[in-house]
Amino acid sequence: MHTIVCYTLQQNLTMVMLGKRCTMISEKMSGLVKNSSVIRAMFEEGKRLAGIYGAENVYDFSLGNPSVEPPIEIKDALLAVIKEEKPNLVHGYMNNSGYEDVREKISESINHNFGTSFHSDNIIMTVGAAGGLNVILKTILNPGDEVIVFAPFFGEYRNYVSNFDGQLVIISPNTIDFQPNLSEFEQKITRKTKAVIINTPNNPTGVIYSENTIMELANILNRKQKEYESTIYLIADEPYRELAYDGVEVPYLTKYYNNTIVGYSFSKSLSLPGERIGYLVIPKEVEDYENMIAAANVANRILGYVNAPSLMQRAVAKCLDSKVDLEIYNRNRELLYNSLVSYGYQCVKPQGAFYLFIKALEEDDKAFAEAAKKHNLLIVSGSAFGCPGYCRIAYCVDYAMIERALPAFQKVAKEYGL
Ligand code: PLP
């Protein structure tokens, strides 16, 4: 038998373990691993249940992985880029912000769609929205700076903010319509507030923040900047911008508030989450623009991304007017929403993204998700999004799976006396 003894000087890392392998990962990482995503855990559980009951009898609504194929244009574009290949056109290192011609095309497309006036030097290509958020948070945060989010929110924000020793400040949910709770927001802004992250269309509610909400939010931010003589950045996390139903407009936030930075992603608009491609928009009007753009460029490099994937940059630049077939998600949304409401579930009808956020049928959302699992329904408890008492259903799945799952949702409702 081996005896492994590890010594460190720091008391909290001291480990003396007999007969066991000892791990020396950082304290911060130990905590993060422990709290690691419930959504991923659910995904693993789905695979386990499928092994027991058969894949067709397990209804996995846990993961926001697009079920709709990327548009044909993206496949054609990828092939074309490879065929067009000349030395240094693709595959090589580049400016850390990305190819200039790609950034120019993207800025023109945004200008065309939203009446803005950006250029290539307002765009930084990123490794998806996640990469973009990490780049911008690294760029602006000093330890202890506060970043405000509105519950319910994408749970990874906790990690992204903690990566740079920021403090997450959570605004409690407005469960009437899931527009942000602006009175609490105003009260919680302090001298230490450095940024506010908003995500519309929203994960997990599917709600689109209205133009009135955005204008009021911008007024509050302007008032508070003046009061504290500070700069507060508004970070618009927009991976679902293109997924809006019934012709509902998603306001383009740089038009409402000067210190806005937009993080966009092609993960959902073109169904390319594994390809890791997106961009940041940093307008000239943003306070300290010159330093900000230079710092974000360096952050992209030193976080280890170096630059966004080159082949994907070239491919998406050819597909800026393409979108996935939204009608497929819309059909899922209508079937699931109408059916669940008819069984007695409560839910704000989502206008965007591909999530439905239902009220759990008991106070404890985790217990409710467990009760649903007994019927092979995998849904994620709202606590993961800072909103206990609710559960998220991701409907980026096959229509046929929703049809098969409906009797199970109905049985759960009956169990709770609906
Ligand atoms: N922000 C939100 C609200 C998301 O839902 C996701 C992914 O699901 C991301 C960011 C990360 O997106 P990406 O795959 O582009 O990094």
Side-chain angles (χ1 to χ4, degrees):
M1 184 178 137
H2 295 288
T3 301
I4 301 172
V5 183
C6 300
Y7 296 100
T8 77
L9 291 176
Q10 282 168 294
Q11 191 200 351
N12 54 11
L13 284 179
T14 300
M15 294 168 117
V16 179
M17 302 177 81
L18 294 176
K20 281 187 185 167
R21 282 202 62 184
C22 70
T23 76
M24 291 302 292
I25 62 172
S26 75
E27 247 181 300
K28 196 166 174 179
M29 273 316 294
S30 298
L32 292 172
V33 172
K34 233 183 262 153
N35 297 328
S36 182
S37 172
V38 246
I39 302 177
R40 293 264 151 201
M42 192 69 91
F43 183 62
E44 292 306 319
E45 181 65 1
K47 284 202 287 194
R48 190 185 72 80
L49 291 174
I52 302 172
Y53 300 104
E56 70 289 358
N57 299 315
V58 176
Y59 317 117
D60 189 349
F61 294 95
S62 63
L63 209 61
N65 208 5
S67 53
V68 176
E69 280 296 295
I72 187 69
E73 294 91 323
I74 192 76
K75 298 182 183 176
D76 291 344
L78 280 165
L79 293 172
V81 173
I82 290 171
K83 280 192 192 138
E84 277 165 20
E85 193 177 340
K86 301 188 265 254
N88 294 326
L89 182 74
V90 76
H91 306 313
Y93 285 125
M94 68 195 77
N95 181 326
N96 303 130
S97 294
Y99 291 119
E100 184 158 354
D101 57 321
V102 169
R103 291 186 287 130
E104 190 58 36
K105 271 197 175 162
I106 287 176
S107 64
E108 282 164 8
S109 157
I110 301 171
N111 296 343
H112 173 77
N113 290 333
F114 306 112
T116 48
S117 47
F118 300 129
H119 296 288
S120 59
D121 53 4
N122 299 114
I123 310 289
I124 296 191
M125 300 305 295
T126 61
V127 174
L133 287 168
N134 276 279
V135 163
I136 201 63
L137 291 171
K138 184 167 182 68
T139 301
I140 62 175
L141 289 187
N142 287 311
D145 281 349
E146 293 172 356
V147 178
I148 297 183
V149 295
F150 295 95
F153 59 91
F154 180 52
E156 292 290 80
Y157 294 159
R158 289 192 178 95
N159 298 324
Y160 302 164
V161 169
S162 119
N163 282 345
F164 309 104
D165 299 320
Q167 288 296 326
L168 196 76
V169 175
I170 300 173
I171 308 300
S172 50
N174 151 20
T175 54
I176 295 174
D177 56 8
F178 289 112
Q179 295 285 321
N181 179 345
L182 293 180
S183 50
E184 186 178 323
F185 173 57
E186 182 150 19
Q187 285 160 22
K188 284 200 171 160
I189 299 176
T190 71
R191 283 179 201 286
K192 284 192 179 169
T193 305
K194 192 66 176 280
V196 178
I197 305 178
I198 68 169
N199 164 227
T200 168
N202 183 264
N203 174 11
T205 62
V207 164
I208 294 173
Y209 294 175
S210 69
E211 187 176 36
N212 275 346
T213 296
I214 301 299
M215 288 196 297
E216 184 50 25
L217 186 130
N219 284 341
I220 293 171
L221 285 171
N222 280 321
R223 272 204 302 276
K224 287 290 174 180
Q225 286 193 136
K226 219 169 176 184
E227 179 182 336
Y228 294 137
E229 293 180 351
S230 65
T231 299
I232 306 173
Y233 294 105
L234 177 63
I235 302 174
D237 178 26
E238 302 201 333
Y240 302 99
R241 161 162 288 283
E242 319 300 343
L243 274 55
Y245 309 105
D246 306 328
V248 176
E249 295 275 324
V250 184
Y252 203 78
L253 297 191
T254 60
K255 298 191 341 201
Y256 298 85
Y257 180 65
N258 277 354
N259 282 322
T260 299
I261 292 150
V262 177
Y264 183 86
S265 164
F266 295 94
S267 293
K268 321 282 162 145
S269 63
L270 293 177
S271 284
L272 298 171
E275 304 294 353
R276 314 306 306 133
I277 185 76
Y279 59 80
L280 285 171
V281 183
I282 306 182
K284 285 235 157 64
E285 292 73 21
V286 158
E287 185 73 32
D288 203 18
Y289 162 79
E290 297 286 345
N291 283 327
M292 176 86 99
I293 202 93
N297 178 299
V298 173
N300 213 7
R301 188 184 90 226
I302 66 180
L303 282 169
Y305 303 126
V306 181
N307 54 253
S310 54
L311 182 59
M312 294 315 301
Q313 287 192 45
R314 293 246 170 264
V316 296
K318 290 178 182 287
C319 301
L320 295 175
D321 294 327
S322 303
K323 269 193 218 176
V324 290
D325 183 352
L326 253 196
E327 193 39 42
I328 300 178
Y329 292 136
N330 190 31
R331 217 168 137 237
N332 290 358
R333 174 183 77 129
E334 294 290 353
L335 175 65
L336 198 55
Y337 173 79
N338 291 331
S339 307
L340 295 193
V341 168
S342 78
Y343 305 152
Y345 290 93
Q346 287 175 36
C347 171
V348 173
K349 188 169 188 184
Q351 296 172 306
F354 39 48
Y355 307 107
L356 217 90
F357 204 52
I358 57 168
K359 192 159 168 41
L361 299 182
E362 61 178 294
E363 220 174 293
D364 182 344
D365 49 310
K366 290 181 190 151
F368 179 68
E370 280 302 312
K373 200 162 82 189
K374 296 212 172 87
H375 295 267
N376 290 349
L377 284 171
L378 301 182
I379 58 178
V380 183
S381 66
S383 303
F385 307 95
C387 188
Y390 287 77
C391 282
R392 187 190 79 173
I393 302 174
Y395 60 81
C396 43
V397 296
D398 268 0
Y399 189 82
M401 189 190 94
I402 300 177
E403 287 180 317
R404 287 199 306 278
L406 289 178
F409 278 113
Q410 195 163 19
K411 273 188 210 151
V412 174
K414 288 213 169 111
E415 261 175 34
Y416 282 89
L418 296 184

